[in-house]
Amino acid sequence: MEESESASDKPRPWQSYHTVYTNAKAGMDGVDKEKVQRVVYEMSKGSKYFENEERKEAFIRQKIEHMRARAAKLSAADLSHYQKVADKRILELESTRDLSRIWLHVDMDAFYAAVETLSNPSLKGKPMAVGSMSMISTANYEARKFGVRAAMPGFIARKLCPDLIFVPTDFKKYTYYSDLTRKVFWDYDPNFMAASLDEAYLDITKVCEGRSITGAEIAEELRSRVHEETGLTCSAGVAPNRLLAKVCSDINKPNGQFVLPNDHMAVMTFISSLPIRKIGGIGKVTENILKGVFGISTCEEMLQKGSFLCALFSHSSADFFLSVGLGLGGTDTPEARFRKSISSERTFSATEDAALLYQKLEMLSADMQKEGLSGRTLTLKLKTASFEVRTRAVTLQKYISSSDDILKHASNLLKAELPISLRLIGLRVSHFNEDKGVVPGDPTQKTLTTFLISGDASRRTGDDQRSLGSDLSDLHFISEKETAISLDNNETCHHEFGDPFERKHLSDIDDKNCISSINACEMEKIDELSSNKTAAMVNTADVKERTTKSPKRDLSRVSEDDSSIQREPEDSNPDRLNKEPSTSGNEEFFSLNQMEMLFWVDGYKCSLCGAELPSSFVEERQEHSDFHLAERLQKEESGTGSSSLIPRLRIVPKDYSGSQNRRKKHKSAHLPIDSFFTKKSSRQL
Ligand code: TTP
Ligand code: MG
């Protein structure tokens, strides 16, 4: 007894070591979290990764102290004032509540792992992970019982579960199955929003009304149809808005569903005990700060601490937090969005009859003319028979408004795609004559991409953009594919979207003082949007890469001018705390320059190691960036060309074709992502 007491008295430093790996995913409820923490701690201690994690933790602590001090300085009068501000804001937000829509969020169960098991049934029932020793993309539910989860380095996973079977990723296979699921989603909401390969949001209001059937029944039916079509299971959440639907789909995973009725009381009860971390966009950092400074653990407590939140955070941040406390989220339909552009699209039975396709274009051009606006950027959106969304844009020297002009340029864009079988064509004219630039604060005008998402796999609204949430959170709506618009043009739209609120707000959380590394969002933003130097490099690389794949690509470009439209000036990461370069001497850890070679090829492949990490996994991407950051530091410390860091276990996706140039370019800087775990002493592998 005494002995066990003294054992438990021993310091357990891993207890405060929280990484993304220790954050439970579905199927990990019964996991011995402390054991996972200890393994991760022990396997990384002494490495640069560890140092970086510690540094981040230190910044969070510092931030918490700083905010606590600010909170302590608030006088009674201040607090009473901010209470009034919060009360007013809560009322205003409450008045926006829309309980008229029924949203369904569907998410495949252990998606990559399930697909692999389908093609190799001998894996059934055995703990397995898809990925490599460097990083695993996902683990099946058997492996999760050991604490193995997505984004975890494989060598840590193997330590947790020695019998773990590793299967390499096969993105093409996942895309194939994803397409099958989307065909089912299409039947319930042709405008469904695909958030990633394995998840989507569907507005099922109409189908429920039309068939006099409940959301729960639709969810059951949809899930069983997905199973019929694919042999895979999925889980669903049904709720009055997207933010809540996403939370709900995770509740009864795997192969389950949860319905939150469109009822004010039900929503408030649901939200009252919901841990804030369940909300898309609230990641580790935001969670720690809200908890550490204000003692906020549940969504409801956001409302109780409204005065502090209003006093210490910007409007948008406070709004986001209060909205979470009210259980509000995006409910709108695509038509309501994007007022700074005109767009029109037609869906039809899939056809590859070019004459018919041109005819659709003609009709759309006429629609555009009716609006009487002239614009310089014309974007063509295509949805192929297999639901792949492509976008092609061109920015012209002069403004156009006549249907003839629109048709002429749109036809050029379409021509380059032929032959093609399409089920949807959309046209958008933007960059209007009266646009003197992006209207600050007008979320509908943020990006050209914004539009493209409308009505399709990704719709975003101002409302949605206000979210922090990563998958609904962080990046919402910045799609991997939206990249498409100017660069890519050849992708399926998986954007996430995110959620209901934009993430600008957390700018005050991070306050320039905090932490961490380059985050994934930042990288992604760079990848797809901006016109900064790094992006320029990325764009060039991407264009080159794609030229080899598709000679047509050059037809779809967005001029420099247009790229200003695309720029997303605000941070797209809710957990921005994780991102700002510090002003306190940590620039070498976190500066963009250091990591400028990391970006996401085609929106999901790490340019440094080829690991595939869809953009909706904001936190995981951030961790991944941290890996590379640490590996770089490790390398610098050991001197270039150190033999201890010779690449091993490098992952290069099979379909990483056309990227030779880039690979060469980064070869010297390239190291396997597990090398950052290299310790000064011997590796524990
Ligand atoms: P998720 O839906 O998060 O996970 P999952 O489908 O494997 O398991 P479940 O939904 O039942 O909890 O992600 C979908 C796929 O995205 C996943 O199968 C693999 C990929 N993915 C990555 O590549 N890296 C990551 O870090 C994560 C979280 C997912
Ligand atoms: Mg899933």
Side-chain angles (χ1 to χ4, degrees), residues 107-108 198 253:
D107 188 300
M108 303 303 292
D198 94 321
K253 255 186 175 298

Coordinates of all heavy atoms in Angstrom, one line a residue, residues 107-108 198 253, ligand 2:
D107 N -20.8 11.7 -41.7 CA -19.4 11.5 -41.6 C -19.1 10.0 -41.6 O -19.6 9.2 -40.8 CB -18.8 12.1 -40.3 CG -17.3 12.1 -40.2 OD1 -16.7 11.0 -40.2 OD2 -16.7 13.2 -40.1
M108 N -18.3 9.5 -42.5 CA -18.0 8.1 -42.7 C -17.2 7.6 -41.5 O -16.4 8.4 -40.9 CB -17.1 7.9 -43.9 CG -17.8 8.4 -45.2 SD -19.4 7.6 -45.5 CE -19.0 5.9 -45.8
D198 N -14.8 12.6 -46.6 CA -15.7 11.6 -45.9 C -16.8 12.3 -45.1 O -17.5 11.7 -44.4 CB -14.9 10.7 -44.9 CG -14.8 11.2 -43.5 OD1 -14.6 12.4 -43.3 OD2 -14.9 10.4 -42.6
K253 N -21.1 7.6 -32.9 CA -20.1 6.9 -33.8 C -19.6 5.6 -33.2 O -19.5 5.6 -32.0 CB -18.9 7.8 -34.1 CG -19.0 8.5 -35.5 CD -17.7 9.2 -35.8 CE -17.8 9.8 -37.2 NZ -17.8 8.7 -38.2
Ligands
MG2 MG -15.0 10.0 -40.6

